[in-house]
Amino acid sequence: MASDTVGNGSLVPFTGDSAAVYPLHHGLPLPISRLSISWSRGNTLRLSLFAGAAAKVVEVKVNSEDSEIPDAHWRRIAYGSVAPFALLQSQRSSISSLLKTPSPYHSDWWEHVLQYSKEIGTLLGGSKLTNSPIIEGPNILVKTDEMPTCLQAAWELIEIFYVDKQSQAWLPERLVDWLADYDSLFTSTHETIHGKLVDFQKELGNIQVIEDDPRYWDLLSSALSVGWLDVVVRMLRLHGSYQLDQLSNRELENGLVEAVAVLISKMPRLRPESDGKLGDCYKSKPDFIKAWEKWRSQITKLDHSPFWIQCDNQQTHEGLRNLLQIMLGNIESLCLATCYWIELYISHFLYIRPFTMGIESMYNLAEKCIQLKPQSSIHRLTGLMIGILEENTEVVLAECSREFGPWLVAHAIELLTTGSEQSEILLHEDRYNLGGISIVELHRLAYAQILSSHALTWQIAPIYLTSCMKQGMGLLENLLYRQSVQHNDVLLKNIEICRLYELDHISSNIMKIAGVYHWKHGHKGAGVFWLQQAQDRSCLDRIAQQLFDSVGKSISDESFKKWEGMIELLGSESNPAGGLEFLHKYRDFKKSLKKVSGGKSTDAARQAVGSLILLMKNPSTPQRFWLPLLHDSLKLLNWQDCPLLSVSETNLLLNKLQELSLAKLCAHYTEPSLPPNALSSIRLALATNLGRAILDE
Amino acid sequence: MAKELLSLEDGTTCTSWNYSGSRLAAGSADGTLSIFDSRHPPSSSSLRTTFKSRVVEGNIVKIVWVPPEYGDAVACISADGIVSLWEEVAIAEDSQSLQWKICKSFGNSSGKVLDVQFGISSTSLKMVAAYSDGNVRVFELLDPLELRNWQLQAEFQNVIESVSEFGKASCLSASISWNPQKGGSQESCFLIGFNSNTPELNSSKVWEFDRAHQRWLPVAELAMPEDKGDLVYAVAWAPNIGRPYEIIAVATQKGIAIWHLGLNPDHDGRLPIERVALLSGHEGMVWQMEWDMSGMTLATTGHDGMVRLWQSNLNGVWHQQAAFEPTS
């Protein structure tokens, strides 16, 4: 389990070579004199470059996905892979809880993974290319309109080897199909059979006598060597001897061509179904072996047939005989027919080692093929394939991350652990060097970082982060904290995510930020609302204090309207602070006073007096409010119909006035802004009320 | 690979992004503070100026954003060591038009301020300021909604043994980094190192607030015994998303050291430390170090004009992962 074999061992691998130096074109006239850096969300790094007096700010994504796929397509993949990923995680956890073991080993676990793999495969655009039986037009040998992606090819390769347990028996045939689908991808680095076919197809219309063209025979043997039987038979039928005007004098030649074509189309294959392609399919190995031997004997028989001598077209003679050699597994013919080692490798399974099952000794064979066809340039799928054949999970992982980026690693890692306890341990074991997380978690975190760095994908990062047992929540918290609260839609989304994952302290933090933002930016109501939501006592107390102060300054009805709503907000939920309690009572008093002001209803007046007494009795009512309160209540004190205050109530108020006159001697006393005769009119009103109350009682 | 976001005006000397990366503050040689805001929906490609005014005398050398829990505010450090705190607020009570207002100024005859950093402890906002005379002052915000009212909470020197005597210190630069841990019951702590003529002050030390005795205590010194006098250029405390230890980067003239800091103190109250890597690359002064939000990748810039990215591999070996070389 030596992890030093892992490629460059990168934690969060970057595409390209390790420790690569990338040029950073800034377009400033002078050399850089100073640089400053700042990480944005995820893997976005922002740089400020200073050169002379000029300066620029640039943004760099330090670890991006495969550039083969355009951004919009990437986002489609990112969004599309969420559901299968989440489903697999939930299946994993339900199976683990069922078995009461941490490892999800279950006889049919691989079926879940296979379903997941198929869904992802479809998402990547898993439409079969040359597999499609419908090829229109006589001059179409291979389809060229849809190009598969390397990502798709890599995914399918991993699926073939790690997940699809059902197809283990016909693994070689799946590789044949795989190459048929993706041979075109290798054209970017070297010559391929697909590439040669495409070139030939372009010129097909201009070729008069096809069997005289050496490329025709060359391509026939090439296509046959990798098992593209349909292409071979279709090409053979283009042979000139099939033309009606020539049929009579080339009867024998045509017979030989047709005989080979029939043999090719009858080639026994060890696979469950034909998918509409040529060849006779056998599901069981004994049947296949029997058929194979019979087929081989037919080829040998044809090879030794006397008709060859009578065939006077030299090209046809040699070309067809060469096809027979391919089918007989002649290594030299196969070597000549194939372009690079993977093609040669596939041809081995078809013609030299048709009875190979499973992965045993496949690596040795690959080594042999690489020796026979040394690679001048290495394609990125090649590295992955070698890693898989070597059965080295770490190399596979390193290749995936280096060549295909974090998306593939984060998703393919699910496939790699299927069915191998050793890989399961390797990938799920917590490592101190990684800060106590497993390789699986590390790669999910790395992928979540990529998602986090884009405004259109950060919302799906939580799905991956919450599947990380150790550090996912920590990173999610950091991600959520870094979202701007300025815009309500982002803010609400943010809070929703917090609620979903029970991140209460982060959501209250975010709401506090929003509250302070709005409060300071003049949206006082929104500010109070969010601070309430955040249950931020210290800020709310400060706001209550401020309100309090402003209420104390002016007590006119206009200002009352202004802060009435605020008091409502402040007191709606949380246990109101001392100051707020007063404000609530004060609001009630003001309201009842308003009712009194117009009318003459004694009941309303009595209610107002009740509020006044409550306020004056309450220890939290600040002293400086006493006089204004009483002054506001003059109408009540001088009520015409009857005295509204009892003797004891009047005494209470008189005592308060007494206290006030004592307080005036203190330094801290601030004189409320009231008319100069306020105090005396209050005194007079109280005295009058007292007299009337005594008489009444 | 690089996308240009903004061309700054001539004379710009420093920039700083806010917590969400949606606002950029830029300071210039003539004391002008500019604020750039990204439009909504948040696409980083369009930034527009929303404020521009001369806020200090002389050159602004550094801008630090106040944590968003306390509003939209920046601290501007000028070349002569004055820190001024500017805040964006509504013009009047009921107005929604905004303006930047000065709230507070720090630094005077007692010494130039070299660096400031804000940290949130369980109770309040704190600001650590490092002065050119080697003093460290911790200020505390008294009112969470008012950036005007600060109180000096503590003043000390960056030394382990308070008895040690040395001459008048003269510091060229200092670097402060708070433990980025948010919330929780953990006591607030920060890290500070100096570039000065006084070896005792230089080595970076972790200071933790001792609530019981209401004082700041050094709980770790991040330097090998033979390197204690090394000039410290920059320090950076990595975000910890769940590691059983903290990771801290310290850049000195010998290179960039990566330290592991244990979470549990020994019987002396010290936190166990281990230097896990000493990285070289910038060949000279390191200007700045920044951790990404996962605390796994460290970005650094320095005298060689390069941006370097560092990571640990699966075996815990730190190495340079990539570098960016500015070219015109």
Side-chain angles (χ1 to χ4, degrees):
Chain A
M1 215 173 294
S3 22
D4 50 7
T5 52
V6 182
N8 59 4
S10 352
L11 248 189
V12 184
F14 297 84
T15 35
D17 295 334
S18 68
V21 176
Y22 301 99
L24 197 66
H25 298 284
H26 51 73
L28 291 169
L30 292 167
I32 296 300
S33 56
R34 187 107 190 153
L35 256 166
S36 91
I37 44 182
S38 172
W39 285 99
S40 187
R41 283 186 292 268
N43 62 338
T44 311
L45 187 63
R46 284 164 174 182
L47 310 168
S48 297
L49 303 124
F50 304 94
K56 249 181 197 172
V57 184
V58 300
E59 185 175 86
V60 181
K61 295 249 193 270
V62 295
N63 179 15
S64 50
E65 292 289 4
D66 195 349
S67 55
E68 181 195 25
I69 295 172
D71 280 355
H73 189 195
W74 259 124
R75 282 198 287 281
R76 213 157 40 239
I77 292 174
Y79 271 92
S81 41
V82 169
F85 177 84
L87 178 67
L88 189 70
Q89 298 312 313
S90 80
Q91 285 166 338
R92 179 186 278 265
S93 63
S94 66
I95 287 179
S96 319
S97 65
L98 213 65
L99 295 181
K100 304 249 185 286
T101 52
S103 146
Y105 272 107
H106 199 257
S107 54
D108 39 283
W109 170 244
W110 68 268
E111 285 178 4
H112 295 296
V113 182
L114 182 62
Q115 188 199 352
Y116 159 80
S117 178
K118 294 285 180 207
E119 274 179 54
I120 301 269
T122 314
L123 178 71
L124 296 177
S127 64
K128 301 289 178 195
L129 302 159
T130 40
N131 270 7
S132 159
I134 310 144
I135 290 185
E136 291 140 12
N139 287 353
I140 308 287
L141 302 174
V142 283
K143 276 191 167 184
T144 51
D145 48 348
E146 314 166 45
M147 270 299 280
T149 61
C150 288
L151 191 67
Q152 212 177 319
W155 186 270
E156 203 175 314
L157 198 59
I158 297 170
E159 179 188 287
I160 291 171
F161 281 94
Y162 289 91
V163 192
D164 200 350
K165 303 292 174 203
Q166 250 166 357
S167 336
Q168 291 292 316
W170 34 86
L171 185 67
E173 282 286 343
R174 284 213 64 186
L175 285 177
V176 172
D177 288 349
W178 182 84
L179 186 73
D181 288 343
Y182 303 112
D183 193 45
S184 58
L185 292 170
F186 293 88
T187 314
S188 63
T189 48
H190 35 66
E191 189 179 45
T192 62
I193 297 174
H194 183 270
K196 289 201 297 185
L197 272 171
V198 171
D199 292 344
F200 185 68
Q201 181 172 290
K202 281 181 203 150
E203 291 178 43
L204 214 50
N206 306 328
I207 300 171
Q208 293 297 320
V209 185
I210 200 167
E211 60 272 24
D212 288 351
D213 193 321
R215 285 179 302 171
Y216 173 71
W217 295 105
D218 184 32
L219 273 173
L220 274 172
S221 67
S222 289
L224 182 62
S225 70
V226 288
W228 301 350
L229 307 184
D230 295 76
V231 176
V232 179
V233 170
R234 205 173 317 115
M235 276 178 78
L236 279 175
R237 300 262 155 85
L238 296 175
H239 193 272
S241 63
Y242 281 98
Q243 286 175 23
L244 289 175
D245 56 337
Q246 306 203 3
L247 211 53
S248 50
N249 40 3
R250 293 173 78 177
E251 199 176 356
L252 182 101
E253 190 186 346
N254 183 249
L256 284 168
V257 175
E258 185 57 24
V260 172
V262 167
L263 272 175
I264 288 170
S265 58
K266 291 279 170 207
M267 178 177 173
R269 313 283 295 255
L270 184 60
R271 57 191 297 153
E273 63 237 346
S274 65
D275 296 332
K277 289 192 290 188
L278 294 176
D280 288 345
C281 299
Y282 295 90
K283 275 187 190 174
S284 85
K285 200 168 173 182
D287 292 349
F288 169 70
I289 295 174
K290 223 184 282 169
W292 175 266
E293 276 160 2
K294 192 176 159 209
W295 182 69
R296 268 288 171 87
S297 69
Q298 285 170 337
I299 298 169
T300 320
K301 205 169 140 197
L302 180 63
D303 195 31
H304 293 121
S305 147
F307 292 116
W308 293 111
I309 309 160
Q310 296 167 35
C311 176
D312 45 9
N313 187 327
Q314 195 57 26
Q315 306 262 26
T316 305
H317 181 178
E318 276 174 22
L320 290 177
R321 293 292 289 270
N322 190 39
L323 294 184
L324 294 183
Q325 284 308 305
I326 298 269
M327 287 189 281
L328 289 169
N330 182 322
I331 181 82
E332 275 171 42
S333 305
L334 289 174
C335 256
L336 279 171
T338 50
C339 299
Y340 64 104
W341 78 265
I342 295 181
E343 289 174 353
L344 178 62
Y345 187 58
I346 298 300
S347 73
H348 268 78
F349 293 123
L350 284 167
Y351 303 106
I352 299 181
R353 298 170 43 170
F355 308 134
T356 305
M357 282 180 93
I359 197 169
E360 78 276 7
S361 73
M362 282 180 93
Y363 180 62
N364 293 340
L365 181 59
E367 277 184 318
K368 194 181 132 197
C369 293
I370 294 170
Q371 269 172 16
L372 287 169
K373 290 234 173 235
Q375 326 176 61
S376 49
S377 53
I378 296 170
H379 191 273
R380 54 184 172 150
L381 283 168
T382 312
L384 177 63
M385 187 160 211
I386 293 171
I388 291 176
L389 295 173
E390 253 186 305
E391 295 181 76
N392 189 333
T393 312
E394 289 165 304
V395 172
V396 172
L397 213 54
E399 288 293 334
C400 285
S401 72
R402 193 173 59 221
E403 301 294 347
F404 300 95
W407 178 89
L408 182 66
V409 193
H411 291 87
I413 219 161
E414 302 295 340
L415 312 186
L416 299 181
T417 53
T418 320
S420 157
E421 205 141 356
Q422 204 188 342
S423 309
E424 174 78 23
I425 293 166
L426 173 80
L427 298 175
H428 283 280
E429 171 192 53
D430 290 338
R431 293 160 182 240
Y432 181 80
N433 285 330
L434 300 181
I437 56 171
S438 65
I439 294 181
V440 170
E441 179 160 344
L442 176 74
H443 288 292
R444 280 187 200 156
L445 292 174
Y447 175 58
Q449 287 260 75
I450 302 265
L451 293 174
S452 308
S453 58
H454 199 287
L456 295 175
T457 52
W458 75 267
Q459 294 94 327
I460 53 178
I463 314 249
Y464 292 87
L465 289 172
T466 48
S467 73
C468 299
M469 299 311 288
K470 295 275 167 64
Q471 300 189 354
M473 285 316 217
L475 190 56
L476 180 57
E477 287 175 10
N478 285 353
L479 170 65
L480 294 172
Y481 182 81
R482 283 162 173 259
Q483 302 296 329
S484 173
V485 299
Q486 223 168 318
H487 306 289
N488 261 331
D489 46 348
V490 181
L491 177 63
L492 293 176
K493 176 80 197 169
N494 228 356
I495 291 168
E496 170 69 16
I497 293 173
C498 290
R499 199 187 52 77
L500 209 58
Y501 301 113
E502 294 168 0
L503 293 168
D504 295 343
H505 60 290
I506 285 293
S507 83
S508 60
N509 200 272
I510 291 166
M511 293 188 288
K512 174 179 177 166
I513 295 174
V516 172
Y517 174 84
H518 288 297
W519 177 259
K520 297 222 173 194
H521 286 78
H523 315 275
K524 302 257 175 195
V528 171
F529 173 77
W530 286 115
L531 288 170
Q532 278 282 349
Q533 296 295 307
Q535 302 190 341
D536 188 307
R537 285 296 294 271
S538 71
C539 282
L540 287 171
D541 282 355
R542 290 302 309 169
I543 288 176
Q545 191 65 44
Q546 278 188 24
L547 274 177
F548 208 61
D549 292 347
S550 68
V551 170
K553 270 178 212 147
S554 89
I555 204 153
S556 67
D557 281 348
E558 296 84 74
S559 73
F560 172 70
K561 270 193 203 112
K562 241 163 66 181
W563 50 258
E564 193 186 7
M566 203 82 75
I567 295 171
E568 200 71 55
L569 266 175
L570 280 168
S572 61
E573 261 172 40
S574 67
N575 192 18
L580 278 179
E581 195 187 342
F582 158 70
L583 287 175
H584 273 279
K585 291 207 167 79
Y586 185 66
R587 181 201 51 194
D588 296 344
F589 167 66
K590 272 283 193 182
K591 273 188 179 162
S592 50
L593 207 56
K594 268 190 175 169
K595 279 188 204 156
V596 177
S597 68
K600 289 196 160 41
S601 154
T602 306
D603 282 349
R606 276 196 199 285
Q607 223 170 12
V609 166
S611 296
L612 173 70
I613 296 300
L614 273 178
L615 268 172
M616 295 302 283
K617 269 187 183 165
N618 196 315
S620 70
T621 304
Q623 213 174 37
R624 63 197 151 93
F625 280 93
W626 294 354
L627 215 50
L629 278 171
L630 291 172
H631 190 251
D632 283 353
S633 318
L634 273 175
K635 189 173 180 183
L636 301 175
L637 303 180
N638 294 321
W639 198 253
Q640 290 297 318
D641 300 351
C642 57
L644 292 176
L645 285 89
S646 69
V647 177
S648 61
E649 284 168 341
T650 322
N651 278 331
L652 171 87
L653 299 184
L654 282 167
N655 285 341
K656 292 280 178 188
L657 278 186
Q658 186 63 28
E659 258 185 72
L660 265 182
S661 56
L662 286 173
K664 271 186 188 174
L665 305 173
C666 295
H668 299 297
Y669 183 79
T670 46
E671 192 78 41
S673 51
L674 288 172
N677 62 345
L679 186 61
S680 52
S681 40
I682 294 168
R683 280 223 172 94
L684 181 63
L686 281 176
T688 317
N689 190 86
L690 183 64
R692 291 167 69 193
I694 290 172
L695 286 176
D696 269 15
E697 284 170 19
Chain B
M1 184 185 251
K3 181 171 80 171
E4 184 177 327
L5 300 183
L6 188 65
S7 251
L8 293 163
E9 274 185 32
D10 281 5
T12 304
T13 48
C14 58
T15 56
S16 174
W17 289 93
N18 76 341
Y19 73 104
S20 62
S22 58
R23 312 193 86 181
L24 177 74
S28 72
D30 64 356
T32 301
L33 170 70
S34 306
I35 304 288
F36 302 90
D37 281 339
S38 57
R39 292 167 210 271
H40 192 67
S43 70
S44 44
S45 52
S46 62
L47 287 161
R48 67 199 162 98
T49 319
T50 52
F51 173 75
K52 190 181 167 208
S53 178
R54 201 150 169 247
V55 298
V56 291
E57 297 288 325
N59 193 350
I60 300 178
V61 291
K62 183 166 184 170
I63 297 177
V64 181
W65 283 88
V66 170
E69 288 87 344
Y70 294 88
D72 279 51
V74 291
C76 300
I77 309 175
S78 69
D80 48 5
I82 308 281
V83 176
S84 44
L85 215 54
W86 287 78
E87 187 188 19
E88 187 184 53
V89 284
I91 286 178
E93 277 280 304
D94 304 316
S95 167
Q96 296 193 355
S97 324
L98 303 174
Q99 65 175 356
W100 285 78
K101 275 186 181 162
I102 187 159
C103 323
K104 178 83 181 169
S105 219
F106 298 88
N108 47 39
S109 53
S110 68
K112 282 169 59 179
V113 178
L114 300 173
D115 191 16
V116 293
Q117 289 296 335
F118 297 91
I120 300 177
S121 72
S122 52
T123 51
S124 64
L125 177 68
K126 295 208 167 61
M127 183 182 89
V128 181
Y131 288 76
S132 59
D133 58 4
N135 271 316
V136 179
R137 293 198 178 99
V138 183
F139 297 90
E140 192 174 22
L141 186 70
L142 295 173
D143 176 345
L145 289 172
E146 197 55 74
L147 287 172
R148 274 188 300 236
N149 304 332
W150 294 84
Q151 187 179 48
L152 181 65
Q153 188 210 22
E155 181 169 5
F156 48 88
Q157 284 186 309
N158 190 33
V159 288
I160 292 276
E161 301 295 338
S162 51
V163 288
S164 56
E165 296 264 325
F166 41 83
K168 191 168 161 48
S170 162
C171 309
L172 277 176
S173 69
S175 181
I176 306 166
S177 181
W178 281 83
N179 178 354
Q181 177 84 27
K182 269 178 272 302
S185 54
Q186 211 179 328
E187 277 309 332
S188 53
C189 45
F190 65 88
L191 167 76
I192 185 166
F194 280 90
N195 170 5
S196 80
N197 64 351
T198 310
E200 292 90 335
L201 288 177
N202 286 345
S203 69
S204 36
K205 290 153 197 107
V206 177
W207 293 86
E208 189 179 87
F209 192 64
D210 168 17
R211 193 159 293 281
H213 300 97
Q214 291 290 305
R215 60 181 176 172
W216 289 88
L217 289 176
V219 290
E221 181 175 18
L222 301 179
M224 296 307 229
E226 65 278 15
D227 298 337
K228 290 195 174 177
D230 287 357
L231 310 177
V232 172
Y233 299 136
V235 296
W237 195 313
N240 186 355
I241 56 173
R243 265 181 270 106
Y245 47 85
E246 297 289 334
I247 292 184
I248 288 170
V250 175
T252 66
Q253 78 249 38
K254 298 209 172 92
I256 298 165
I258 305 287
W259 293 85
H260 281 187
L261 183 70
L263 302 178
N264 301 312
D266 61 15
H267 57 276
D268 293 337
R270 295 285 161 85
L271 296 174
I273 52 164
E274 185 194 358
R275 191 178 78 182
V276 295
L278 182 62
L279 309 162
S280 56
H282 286 297
E283 292 153 24
M285 189 177 262
V286 171
W287 291 333
Q288 197 193 351
M289 300 195 290
E290 289 278 318
W291 290 97
D292 76 334
M293 71 178 195
S294 67
M296 291 184 192
T297 309
L298 177 70
T300 61
T301 58
H303 195 64
D304 58 352
M306 303 272 282
V307 177
R308 298 180 188 276
L309 301 177
W310 311 86
Q311 284 182 340
S312 155
N313 69 10
L314 297 177
N315 300 320
V317 178
W318 284 82
H319 61 115
Q320 182 177 310
Q321 185 63 58
F324 299 97
E325 184 174 26
T327 52
S328 51

